[in-house]
């Protein structure tokens, strides 16, 4: 991502692969990153069980960690 940001300074990235619950803030600190995504916020178990409250909690936790 950093290597691509140099020749493409106008491009903003939304990394999604390999990002865990403890890493969004580090990615978001990069100027070329617009947003991040990750499957940790909506696991297949959550989706199978319809646990949308669990998904909401995990997502809210990720946002909280990223804003501190």
């Amino acid at each position: 991502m950093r290597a691509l940001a140099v020749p493409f300074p106008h491009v903003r990235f939304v990394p999604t692969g390999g990002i865990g619950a403890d890493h969004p803030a580090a990615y978001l600190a990069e100027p070329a990153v617009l947003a991040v995504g990750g499957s940790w916020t909506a696991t297949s178990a959550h989706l199978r069980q319809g646990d949308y409250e669990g998904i909401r909690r995990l997502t809210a936790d990720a946002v909280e960690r990223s804003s501190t």
Side-chain angles (χ1 to χ4, degrees):
M1 181 183 63
R2 286 180 184 157
L4 290 172
V6 173
F8 303 106
H10 59 286
V11 174
R12 296 297 175 253
F13 298 90
V14 181
T16 58
I19 300 174
D22 296 328
H23 301 105
Y27 282 90
L28 291 169
E30 295 292 330
V33 173
L34 177 65
V36 297
S39 59
W40 80 91
T41 61
T43 67
S44 57
H46 286 110
L47 296 172
R48 258 194 321 276
Q49 297 168 6
D51 183 10
Y52 303 111
E53 179 57 27
I55 292 169
R56 189 204 63 74
R57 278 193 313 272
L58 288 172
T59 303
D61 182 56
V63 170
E64 177 71 26
R65 287 188 204 191
S66 297
S67 62
T68 57

